[in-house]
Amino acid sequence: MNPVLIEQLVMYGVALLAGLVLWGMGGRLLRPALGLVGVVIGGAIGWICWSLVENLVPLWALVGGTALLIGCIGMLVYRLLLAGLLSLLLAIGCMVGAWCFMDQGELTPVPLATLSEIVAGASVLEQVTPAFSDSSSSTSMASALANHADAVRTEILDRVGILHAAWLLLSPLGQLVVIGSIIGGLFSGLLLATFTPRFSAIFLTASLGSLLILGTLVRVVTMTGASLTDAILTWTPLPLVLWAALAFIGMCIQFTMQARRGAEAD
């Protein structure tokens, strides 16, 4: 088996395991959970940055260094990160909901497919599969990883550009509604994190864990050559509905485990 493929499968396996931990018991492990999220994000940032410098810095050093750094920062300032991440999550959710369900009229429909494809696999990324050489030389692997990292970065920037173009097509009223929903989400996140830290931790970890689980599973499916773009285009809110349903199940599991531990303690 191609060594690059093995590395990808190992990375996806670790990501899936991290998602399951966040989803099922993240509220109980708040500080380690945020540290683990920081490690994943730091590793991804290091991987993308490595595609810019390539041979100047070893891949393992840059990815490992950024993952360790951001992971440590996440554990040190986990309460601040809890409020920030929860506010960001609610702001995005409120923005998408407002943009999707407000009276359309002459307004441009919300590009939910654009947001969904960032996680569920954009059509361009599904169709572009790096042609890895059978050679296991470090040069071939480095070139393949750099090309794929560049494709991911370019695709995300393209999706952000599409969202910006859709924003410019909104009427002033539509833009005001979207801005108001974002501010409302940010304010709600700060209030929840301040006055209900336990609920906020469970809600946040269940949501992030669900996103990580779905994203990992979809990426593994796309590695087989299957495309999920048609499913998204058939009903664009599908990824968001699946995300919400899985997050709700995770919250129920965490609350049930908390209640059971409380009953055993009594």
Side-chain angles (χ1 to χ4, degrees):
M1 183 179 291
N2 192 294
V4 176
L5 180 60
I6 295 177
E7 290 183 7
Q8 288 181 336
L9 291 176
V10 171
M11 290 173 58
Y12 290 147
V14 172
L16 181 60
L17 179 61
L20 289 172
V21 171
L22 287 172
W23 179 72
M25 60 181 69
R28 182 183 178 185
L29 306 173
L30 177 60
R31 181 177 292 185
L34 288 178
L36 185 59
V37 172
V39 169
V40 174
I41 295 176
I45 293 175
W47 176 51
I48 293 176
C49 292
W50 176 82
S51 66
L52 301 176
V53 297
E54 295 191 16
N55 296 328
L56 296 180
V57 180
L59 174 62
W60 64 268
L62 188 56
V63 172
T66 54
L68 181 61
L69 176 62
I70 297 181
C72 291
I73 293 176
M75 294 182 68
L76 290 173
V77 295
Y78 72 97
R79 289 192 179 276
L80 180 61
L81 281 178
L82 171 63
L85 289 174
L86 183 61
S87 298
L88 180 61
L89 181 68
L90 290 178
I92 294 175
C94 291
M95 180 268 291
V96 171
W99 202 340
C100 183
F101 297 109
M102 65 181 170
D103 183 18
Q104 294 297 321
E106 298 179 355
L107 300 178
T108 304
V110 59
L112 283 177
T114 298
L115 291 172
S116 302
E117 288 175 349
I118 293 177
V119 175
S123 57
V124 174
L125 291 180
E126 290 174 355
Q127 296 169 4
V128 176
T129 303
F132 297 114
S133 171
D134 292 336
S135 172
S136 59
S137 65
S138 59
T139 302
S140 299
M141 293 176 59
S143 177
L145 286 171
N147 291 337
H148 189 67
D150 185 66
V152 172
R153 184 177 62 253
T154 301
E155 186 64 25
I156 292 177
L157 291 177
D158 289 343
R159 297 296 160 185
V160 172
I162 293 174
L163 288 174
H164 182 257
W167 162 262
L168 295 178
L169 293 176
L170 287 175
S171 66
L173 175 60
Q175 293 180 348
L176 183 62
V177 170
V178 172
I179 293 175
S181 65
I182 294 175
I183 294 176
L186 291 173
F187 186 66
S188 300
L190 291 175
L191 287 178
L192 286 175
T194 301
F195 296 105
T196 59
R198 180 176 298 180
F199 172 84
S200 299
I202 292 177
F203 177 77
L204 176 65
T205 53
S207 299
L208 292 178
S210 302
L211 181 63
L212 199 54
I213 291 171
L214 289 176
T216 301
L217 292 178
V218 169
R219 291 297 180 183
V220 172
V221 171
T222 55
M223 287 177 64
T224 65
S227 175
L228 300 177
T229 303
D230 293 339
I232 295 175
L233 295 178
T234 300
W235 191 44
T236 41
L238 176 61
L240 298 179
V241 172
L242 291 176
W243 182 18
L246 189 59
F248 178 75
I249 295 173
M251 290 179 64
C252 292
I253 292 175
Q254 292 196 47
F255 278 121
T256 301
M257 292 177 62
Q258 272 196 359
R260 186 174 301 174
R261 286 195 301 270
E264 292 176 354
D266 293 338

